[in-house]
Amino acid sequence: MTDCEISVKSITSGRCLTVFLDGDVDHHNARQIRSRIDTKVYIQRPDELILDLSRVAFMDSSGLGLILGRYAKATELGIMFKVANPTPQIKRILDLAGTERLIKIENMPVNK
């Protein structure tokens, strides 16, 4: 993987879509990630969308925008949204931004 590449994988369990990001989330790739997640959401129409950040080591403001945008889109579509397993560095960014006032953030078992 080059500096600008990120792996976006997903699993569906029942009506829950979990998207796993692996790599850095920054202004170079946020648009691509957003597009891939939105496509999966529009095709699958899950009841719940979980964004797993357990393998994200770096995220800039574009990554924060990506998360907040997916939350807004999910809310608009009536889909529950949560962020799972942020690394300590990413959790710090989310805490500083006050993200948990809007979005549920939790540690969950990873089964990808």
Side-chain angles (χ1 to χ4, degrees), residues 37-97:
I37 293 171
D38 287 354
T39 297
K40 291 177 184 299
V41 167
Y42 283 120
I43 290 170
Q44 296 184 17
R45 294 294 178 152
D47 291 335
E48 182 176 26
L49 173 61
I50 300 172
L51 190 59
D52 186 290
L53 304 179
S54 60
R55 298 187 56 102
V56 175
F58 173 82
M59 181 176 76
D60 66 10
S61 61
S62 298
L64 187 57
L66 170 85
I67 293 169
L68 293 172
R70 295 324 89 221
Y71 164 76
K73 184 66 68 179
T75 301
E76 177 184 309
L77 296 171
I79 299 169
M80 291 178 22
F81 179 82
K82 73 174 86 167
V83 170
N85 307 320
T87 60
Q89 300 88 333
I90 302 306
K91 178 75 166 95
R92 180 166 155 67
I93 292 168
L94 296 173
D95 288 346
L96 289 171

